[in-house]
Amino acid sequence: MKLKDVSKLKNGKKANYSNIGNIPVYGANGIIGYTDKPNSPKNAIIIGRVGANAGSVFYSFKEHWVSDNAISVLPINDRVNPYYLYYALFKLDLNRLVEGSAQPLINQTILNSFDISIPDIVFQDKVVEKILILDKKISLNKHINDNLLELAKASYRKVLAVSNLTETKLKDFATITMGQSPSSKTYNEDKVGLALLNGAADFRNGIHPSKWTTDPKRIVNKGSYIFGVRATIGLTTKVFDKYAIGRGTGSAVSKDTVNDEFLYFVLDDMFKYFSNSGSGSVYINISKSDFNDYIFCKPQTNDLQKFHQTVGPIMNKIYTNKQENLILTQVKETLLNKYF
């Protein structure tokens, strides 16, 4: 049947960001801001309409605003389970509906006429029951992690406020390694050699390398922090395996394990600084000397030890939840492949 037979499609509108509230604004790449009024109900599916993210699919659990670069899909509930329709659209390659190259675009008329397979509602409900429980657990873990990270940040701000601080260069606190891309001739997708993290795209929202190399030039080990250093900078992520890193990636390892958690927040502050005033204005490109010479305020040793004792377990729980979400996501993908 056609998508229009089980849903109503509605183009979004430009949001008024001067009226800030807690209503999420969805665009082509997910939530892009907040406003004070919704223009679409909860349990709607949002599809990116224009740009590089045209065809991306999201689900909104609450009332929201759909911007003018997205389309809201409102399921007709007596014909389709909203979650089933979301999973079906999520698994389909909507990019094939995108028109144009300079400005990719999905037309609402084309979406309306899109053929989609919808089984009877009883089967839909059974499939949703199996997958939705995974989504809810993944969402809960993310919410817990957000709260845990806020606790850790509060401890970081507190130790900076109460300790006697010393200006310190990053090179005296951590070992910085800049990535170097191997020859493309050594790349493969058969998982031979080391997984290659060539840039931020390989570890945005979790580590998901697209290539492996048999001749790594720079290697990071378990426990290292990695981050983007070209164009997209930051996205500091801790790794729990050995990886090769390319020229778009850098790494940092604390010279004293007691300072590991504090280093994470130093890096976070540093990338905010570089984003605002670092080298490059349009295309940010940070050098090793920029990292090494970055100056921050270091607390006294005993305060760093107390910070480690307090924040270490919090960060470890965050990493544990992320690992659980990775496994849950893999199980979810298996079910999606089975039913869609």
Side-chain angles (χ1 to χ4, degrees):
M1 61 181 66
K2 304 296 184 184
L3 183 57
K4 66 181 179 180
D5 296 327
V6 292
S7 66
K8 296 180 180 179
L9 275 66
K10 179 181 177 183
N11 273 335
K13 298 180 180 179
K14 185 170 291 187
N16 184 358
Y17 289 103
S18 64
N19 297 326
I20 301 300
N22 62 352
I23 302 298
V25 177
Y26 279 92
N29 60 342
I31 295 176
I32 57 175
Y34 293 87
T35 188
D36 65 339
K37 294 180 181 178
N39 71 351
S40 190
K42 63 182 180 179
N43 296 325
I45 300 153
I46 298 93
I47 297 176
R49 188 177 68 87
V50 298
N53 292 295
S56 54
V57 182
F58 309 94
Y59 191 96
S60 183
F61 297 93
K62 59 185 292 187
E63 289 184 322
H64 56 280
W65 184 282
V66 180
S67 78
D68 53 352
N69 63 4
I71 295 173
S72 186
V73 180
L74 308 175
I76 301 173
N77 290 335
D78 61 344
R79 300 182 187 178
V80 63
N81 185 308
Y83 292 107
Y84 187 91
L85 183 58
Y86 162 67
Y87 293 134
L89 291 172
F90 180 81
K91 278 299 293 180
L92 290 170
D93 181 18
L94 295 184
N95 288 323
R96 56 195 167 105
L97 303 181
V98 175
E99 301 176 329
S101 54
Q103 178 67 310
L105 171 70
I106 287 185
N107 188 290
Q108 180 177 324
T109 302
I110 294 176
L111 269 179
N112 266 322
S113 300
F114 183 64
D115 287 312
I116 187 167
S117 177
I118 302 293
D120 67 81
I121 194 71
V122 174
F123 181 80
Q124 292 179 47
D125 291 343
K126 288 181 179 179
V127 171
V128 167
E129 183 180 6
K130 293 179 179 180
I131 302 177
L132 186 58
I133 192 171
L134 299 175
D135 267 344
K136 287 183 176 179
K137 178 57 175 172
I138 291 170
S139 178
L140 176 61
N141 281 346
K142 288 180 178 179
H143 185 64
I144 290 172
N145 278 0
D146 288 342
N147 290 334
L148 289 174
L149 189 59
E150 283 304 312
L151 284 174
K153 286 180 178 178
S155 294
Y156 174 70
R157 291 190 291 266
K158 181 178 179 180
V159 74
L160 291 178
V162 302
S163 184
N164 290 324
L165 304 176
T166 304
E167 287 194 346
T168 304
K169 285 190 176 183
L170 186 58
K171 67 180 179 181
D172 298 323
F173 192 76
T175 301
I176 305 298
T177 301
M178 304 298 284
Q180 181 179 342
S181 298
S183 167
S184 59
K185 295 179 181 179
T186 71
Y187 291 178
N188 69 87
E189 298 179 3
D190 301 319
K191 300 186 179 181
V192 178
L194 278 183
L196 174 64
L197 306 177
N198 225 1
D202 291 321
F203 49 88
R204 188 190 302 275
N205 298 321
I207 295 177
H208 40 79
S210 59
K211 297 179 177 65
W212 279 252
T213 176
T214 55
D215 185 27
K217 300 302 182 183
R218 294 284 189 276
I219 294 174
V220 295
N221 293 305
K222 178 181 178 180
S224 301
Y225 290 112
I226 58 170
F227 38 78
V229 298
R230 295 171 61 87
T232 298
I233 66 169
L235 298 180
T236 302
T237 304
K238 196 168 194 176
V239 298
F240 295 92
D241 205 344
K242 181 185 289 187
Y243 294 96
I245 56 173
R247 65 181 185 140
T249 305
S251 76
V253 179
S254 173
K255 293 187 175 181
D256 187 333
T257 55
V258 170
N259 299 331
D260 180 77
E261 294 81 20
F262 192 81
L263 174 61
Y264 173 86
F265 293 100
V266 169
L267 293 172
D268 187 55
D269 281 348
M270 180 186 66
F271 287 119
K272 290 174 183 174
Y273 166 78
F274 282 136
S275 294
N276 293 326
S277 58
S279 54
S281 55
V282 177
Y283 184 83
I284 299 176
N285 184 10
I286 307 175
S287 68
K288 185 172 183 178
S289 62
D290 291 327
F291 286 113
N292 281 334
D293 294 336
Y294 175 76
I295 296 175
F296 66 97
C297 293
K298 184 181 77 171
Q300 290 179 307
T301 301
N302 62 326
D303 289 328
L304 284 171
Q305 290 174 338
K306 292 177 183 177
F307 180 81
H308 169 67
Q309 292 168 357
T310 300
V311 176
I314 295 175
M315 298 301 290
N316 286 337
K317 179 58 178 173
I318 290 174
Y319 300 137
T320 298
N321 287 344
K322 286 184 175 181
Q323 182 61 31
E324 182 180 30
N325 274 4
L326 176 62
I327 296 170
L328 292 173
T329 300
Q330 291 170 344
V331 175
K332 174 185 172 182
E333 186 65 25
T334 300
L335 290 176
L336 289 172
N337 290 335
K338 177 181 179 180
Y339 291 113
F340 298 95

